[in-house]
Amino acid sequence: MASRIELDAADRAYVDYARRLLRETEPEACPEGETAAKAWQVDRIGKLLAAVDILLRVIDGGEQR
C-alpha cells in the first residue's frame, strides 16, 4: 500500500505499531467470558487511544502537546 505522505523509517515503524494495536481491538479478538471480556474492553480503549496518539504524532511531525 502506497503512503499518501512521505514517512521515514521511524514513522513507518510507528504506523505499523499503530496498525497492530488496531488489529488487536477488532471485535473478533474479544475473549469469551464476562470477566475476560470486560478486561479486554478496558485494554481495547487504551490501545485505541494509543493508536490515535501515535498517528497524530506522525502527522504532526513528532510534536507533543
Side-chain angles (χ1 to χ4, degrees):
M1 171 189 273
S3 176
R4 293 184 184 161
I5 59 175
E6 293 296 320
L7 299 175
D8 62 20
D11 285 343
R12 173 60 51 202
Y14 288 134
V15 169
D16 289 341
Y17 180 61
R19 284 184 176 151
R20 191 178 95 229
L21 289 174
L22 291 172
R23 277 193 305 274
E24 292 174 6
T25 65
E26 292 291 325
E28 297 82 35
C30 184
E32 293 186 22
E34 187 176 338
T35 303
K38 285 182 180 180
W40 177 81
Q41 288 173 344
V42 170
D43 186 57
R44 180 183 192 201
I45 292 169
K47 287 178 179 178
L48 290 169
L49 291 173
V52 169
D53 182 57
I54 290 166
L55 295 173
L56 289 175
R57 287 182 191 198
V58 168
I59 290 168
D60 290 342
E63 293 180 20
Q64 293 186 18
R65 297 183 193 274

